[in-house]
């Protein structure tokens, strides 16, 4: 075998063995602390880990995460398309939206939506400048859960729009020119060229946003929404077992985050294989682009 093609063999040195020893000592110290410190109260953790109140809060957290990510992603795609528009007013509107929602804390936005009735006591739905329509009581319409969904979704859309726009920009310009040569409309190019080829760029960042959103839902506890964090807070407010209950919440957040990471890696691998499988090597670059677009 040629020396240039031989696989490189990793040579372990003193530095690596030293790091192994330090890591093992660190793990041993953490385990020793967990075992010897009675204040962790593992019996309390095991008691409430699958309690009905905690599981209901966990279900609400998962439901909020999925719903907010769905709404935020859909609105984010719309904003990304607007942000990439050649029409200046549409582009400026999207830029203003992104600037406002990315530039203010999400907790402030949640509290604002929860108290929106102080600004708009009633909401009128109808035809502008006419008497045709109806009015709705804002207090009755915007509950704590509704305010949480609206606030998180609108904030998430601002971040997702930038992720999607970054994916759009990763598509080579030659692909779009190939689509033009085939007579594709803007919508056809979006669905058949831009979105499929931008997925390998969008998916990893979206997966990170999903895991981040799972943890960000804990902010809705300030509104009184009975999510996972609020559920354990209610329990330790009664039992004064603060640390064990917070560890229960941390354990569930960690478990769900790890479980969400697995399908994310599978989706990333799928789109990576799909992208490499559709690459056709031709001498003429335009032929390569047209073949890829047709596929």
């Amino acid at each position: 075998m040629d020396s240039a093609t031989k696989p490189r063999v990793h040579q372990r040195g003193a530095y690596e063995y030293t790091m192994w020893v330090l890591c093992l000592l660190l793990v041993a110290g953490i385990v020793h602390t967990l075992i010897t410190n009675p204040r962790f109260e593992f019996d309390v953790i095991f008691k409430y880990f699958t309690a009905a109140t905690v599981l209901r809060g966990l279900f609400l957290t998962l439901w909020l995460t999925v719903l907010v990510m769905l709404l935020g992603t859909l609105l984010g795609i719309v904003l990304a398309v607007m942000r990439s528009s050649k029409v200046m007013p549409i582009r400026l509107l999207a830029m203003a939206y992104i600037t406002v929602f990315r530039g203010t804390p999400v907790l402030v936005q949640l509290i604002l939506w929860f108290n929106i009735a102080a600004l708009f006591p009633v909401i009128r739905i109808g035809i502008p400048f006419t008497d045709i329509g109806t009015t709705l009581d804002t207090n009755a319409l915007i509950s704590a859960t509704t305010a949480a969904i609206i606030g998180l979704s609108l904030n998430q859309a601002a971040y997702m729009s930038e992720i999607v726009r970054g994916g759009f920009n990763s598509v080579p310009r030659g692909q779009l020119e190939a689509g033009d040569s085939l007579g594709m409309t803007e919508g056809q190019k979006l669905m058949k060229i831009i979105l499929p080829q931008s997925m390998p760029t969008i998916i990893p960042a979206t997966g990170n946003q999903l895991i981040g959103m799972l943890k960000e839902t804990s902010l809705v506890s300030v509104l009184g929404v009975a999510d996972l964090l609020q559920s354990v807070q209610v329990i330790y407010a009664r039992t004064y077992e603060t640390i064990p209950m917070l560890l229960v919440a941390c354990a569930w957040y960690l478990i769900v985050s790890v479980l969400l990471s697995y399908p994310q890696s599978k989706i990333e691998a799928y789109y990576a294989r799909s992208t490499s499988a559709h690459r056709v090597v031709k001498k003429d670059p335009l032929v390569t682009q047209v073949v890829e677009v047709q596929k």
Side-chain angles (χ1 to χ4, degrees):
M1 182 182 291
D2 185 21
S3 60
T5 61
K6 288 183 179 180
R8 298 182 62 183
V9 179
H10 175 65
Q11 299 292 335
R12 292 184 174 87
Y15 173 76
E16 183 171 349
Y17 287 116
T18 302
M19 294 308 300
W20 269 110
V21 172
L22 292 177
C23 290
L24 290 174
L25 289 175
L26 177 61
V27 172
I30 294 174
V31 172
H32 180 266
T33 301
L34 293 175
I35 294 174
T36 58
N37 191 339
R39 295 180 180 85
F40 283 104
E41 300 182 71
F42 287 105
D43 56 331
V44 177
I45 294 175
F46 294 136
K47 175 183 176 181
Y48 287 103
F49 191 74
T50 56
T53 303
V54 174
L55 292 180
R56 283 196 296 269
L58 175 63
F59 175 78
L60 181 57
T61 293
L62 295 175
W63 179 78
L64 276 175
T65 302
V66 173
L67 181 60
V68 167
M69 279 301 300
L70 178 62
L71 296 176
T73 301
L74 292 176
L75 182 55
I77 293 174
V78 174
L79 287 170
V81 174
M82 294 173 61
R83 180 76 169 77
S84 304
S85 174
K86 297 178 182 179
V87 181
M88 181 63 72
I90 295 178
R91 190 165 67 250
L92 290 177
L93 183 62
M95 292 173 61
Y97 179 100
I98 294 169
T99 301
V100 170
F101 282 92
R102 291 179 64 193
T104 54
V106 62
L107 180 58
V108 175
Q109 296 175 31
L110 289 172
I111 297 174
L112 178 63
W113 281 106
F114 184 65
N115 294 280
I116 196 67
L119 187 61
F120 301 103
V122 294
I123 298 176
R124 187 176 184 278
I125 300 176
I127 301 175
F129 309 111
T130 68
D131 295 330
I132 302 175
T134 184
T135 58
L136 301 173
D137 183 8
T138 307
N139 275 318
L141 185 64
I142 306 295
S143 64
T145 303
T146 304
I149 294 172
I150 294 174
L152 291 176
S153 298
L154 294 180
N155 181 266
Q156 185 69 9
Y159 289 92
M160 283 303 303
S161 66
E162 291 299 280
I163 292 175
V164 173
R165 188 171 68 89
F168 288 176
N169 292 338
S170 68
V171 178
R173 186 173 182 82
Q175 299 290 320
L176 303 179
E177 294 173 352
D180 291 333
S181 68
L182 294 174
M184 289 185 173
T185 63
E186 292 296 326
Q188 289 175 327
K189 287 192 294 184
L190 176 65
M191 299 304 297
K192 295 184 178 181
I193 300 177
I194 298 176
L195 282 179
Q197 296 191 47
S198 62
M199 281 300 177
T201 302
I202 294 174
I203 291 296
T206 302
N208 291 334
Q209 283 294 113
L210 175 62
I211 295 174
M213 177 51 59
L214 170 71
K215 295 175 289 186
E216 205 168 88
T217 55
S218 61
L219 295 174
V220 304
S221 61
V222 301
L223 306 182
V225 179
D227 70 321
L228 177 59
L229 179 58
Q230 175 70 7
S231 298
V232 301
Q233 285 177 329
V234 169
I235 294 175
Y236 73 63
R238 183 181 71 251
T239 63
Y240 300 103
E241 296 165 328
T242 306
I243 296 300
M245 295 312 303
L246 289 177
L247 290 177
V248 168
C250 290
W252 274 119
Y253 283 121
L254 179 60
I255 290 171
V256 177
S257 297
V258 172
L259 292 177
L260 289 175
S261 299
Y262 178 75
Q264 176 190 348
S265 63
K266 290 298 182 181
I267 295 173
E268 289 179 21
Y270 169 79
Y271 277 105
R273 288 196 302 268
S274 176
T275 302
S276 60
H278 283 77
R279 289 175 181 169
V280 181
V281 179
K282 297 285 184 179
K283 292 183 178 180
D284 187 350
L286 182 59
V287 174
T288 301
Q289 295 159 5
V290 173
V291 171
E292 288 182 346
V293 169
Q294 288 175 335
K295 287 190 175 184

